[in-house]
Amino acid sequence: MKAWRFIQVTALIGAIMIFVVNSAEAESVRNQLAQESTIEKVLQRGVLKVGMDTFVPWAMKNKDGELIGFEIDVAKQLAEDLGVEVEFVPTKWSGIIPSLLTGKFDVIIGGMSTTTERNLKVNFTVPYNYTGQAIVANRKLAPGLSTLEDFNREDFTVTARTGSTAAVAAKKFLPKAKLVLFDTEPAALQEILNDKAHVFVSSAPLPAFKAIEHPDKLYLPFEDTITKEPTSFAVLKGDVDTLNIFDNWIRRKELEGWLQERAHHWFNTRDWAGQVE
């Protein structure tokens, strides 16, 4: 009986020791992950590096060559609340996710819509804004059209930015049309202004703004967007600390009404137009 009791006690002590060792190892792993997280590196560096591309009114240069726009406001405020400086890293949209994965910046804040294909490569925060794809048409080449199906013709050319959800929408809703992709939004837009394309697809409200800017060349066939898409920050997979901090920052800014106010300023007014024209 005493021998059996001794075995039980020994087994219990062994189990406790294993638990203690495993707990210590788990704590060590947690500490290591925290130290290696992007947010910890940002705080140690004192700079938040933000990957983005320029497109109106998310991010663009004003008359003095300074970056302004909705995403610029968001990134600057995030950095300020973290107590660090912000550094913008302009990157072609087609290569922006690979650039994040290779460490060229800490986060993508660039009006990126969440898609399954992208989510397989990066993690997304909760949405901080919602957008949708819209179209603007060439008055000379495609006059008087009023429905999406009117543009779904084999003799029509549609332009969009490479790697964008606008390109995905164009393929889905205008499969008969010839799709021509460009590295930048201005280049895709210029094609329609040069009478070389019938329609340009991009995130609202850019098509509407361009129709206002070029009323002799462009028009809006209809006002509704053809998609509705959440936009989020993109971060490296496996970095739960950074994702948690960014998620909670977005939720706080939503509750304060700050995100809604900034979105209204950039997407529903033209109060900023004088800074870039």
Side-chain angles (χ1 to χ4, degrees):
M1 188 68 179
K2 289 183 179 180
W4 173 244
R5 186 66 175 170
F6 175 78
I7 293 173
Q8 286 183 314
V9 171
T10 302
L12 178 60
I13 292 173
I16 292 172
M17 291 180 66
I18 291 172
F19 174 78
V20 170
V21 170
N22 287 343
S23 297
E25 289 179 350
E27 182 65 23
S28 175
V29 170
R30 282 194 294 269
N31 290 336
Q32 183 178 353
L33 288 174
Q35 291 172 3
E36 293 177 353
S37 72
T38 295
I39 199 67
E40 183 63 26
K41 293 176 182 177
V42 167
L43 295 176
Q44 291 179 1
R45 187 195 308 135
V47 177
L48 175 69
K49 296 183 179 180
V50 177
M52 40 70 69
D53 194 7
T54 53
F55 58 115
V56 180
W58 285 264
M60 52 201 165
K61 289 187 177 181
N62 63 15
K63 295 176 181 178
D64 298 323
E66 299 170 337
L67 286 168
I68 62 170
F70 177 66
E71 308 294 356
I72 304 305
D73 283 357
V74 170
K76 284 182 175 180
Q77 188 62 53
L78 173 61
E80 180 180 327
D81 291 346
L82 291 174
V84 298
E85 300 296 318
V86 64
E87 176 185 329
F88 293 103
V89 185
T91 307
K92 285 186 178 181
W93 196 250
S94 58
I96 201 163
I97 287 180
S99 294
L100 173 68
L101 298 180
T102 55
K104 292 186 178 179
F105 39 78
D106 305 309
V107 58
I108 297 172
I109 303 179
M112 179 168 280
S113 300
T114 60
T115 68
T116 301
E117 182 182 2
R118 289 170 177 168
N119 213 168
L120 290 171
K121 301 173 182 176
V122 299
N123 278 349
F124 286 113
T125 61
V126 296
Y128 65 102
N129 189 40
Y130 290 86
T131 187
Q133 302 305 315
I135 70 171
V136 64
N138 181 291
R139 284 191 181 278
K140 178 181 177 181
L141 300 181
L145 304 183
S146 59
T147 70
L148 187 61
E149 189 57 33
D150 290 338
F151 295 90
N152 190 28
R153 295 169 42 171
E154 293 181 356
D155 59 336
F156 271 27
T157 298
V158 55
T159 66
R161 183 175 56 169
T162 302
S164 66
T165 48
V168 174
K171 290 178 183 178
K172 178 179 180 180
F173 295 106
L174 304 171
K176 295 180 182 179
K178 177 185 177 182
L179 177 61
V180 181
L181 300 176
F182 295 84
D183 282 339
T184 66
E185 298 248 330
L189 178 66
Q190 194 60 48
E191 194 78 351
I192 189 174
L193 289 172
N194 290 341
D195 297 333
K196 294 182 178 180
H198 299 77
V199 61
F200 168 60
V201 182
S202 181
S203 296
L206 182 60
F209 287 167
K210 294 306 175 181
I212 294 171
E213 288 180 23
H214 306 280
D216 58 326
K217 284 274 191 179
L218 308 176
Y219 74 98
L220 282 184
F222 47 84
E223 293 186 359
D224 291 340
T225 59
I226 59 179
T227 64
K228 184 177 181 181
E229 305 164 8
T231 56
S232 301
F233 301 175
V235 299
L236 294 175
K237 282 189 168 296
D239 192 346
V240 293
D241 285 349
T242 301
L243 193 64
N244 177 265
I245 288 173
F246 286 170
D247 278 347
N248 287 321
W249 183 87
I250 291 168
R251 293 187 182 103
R252 170 58 61 182
K253 291 303 176 184
E254 275 190 333
L255 290 172
E256 293 173 355
W258 185 86
L259 283 170
Q260 296 89 324
E261 185 275 326
R262 288 291 81 199
H264 176 78
H265 172 75
W266 291 106
F267 301 136
N268 299 115
T269 79
R270 295 275 294 170
D271 295 345
W272 47 267
Q275 300 179 59
V276 295
E277 293 174 351

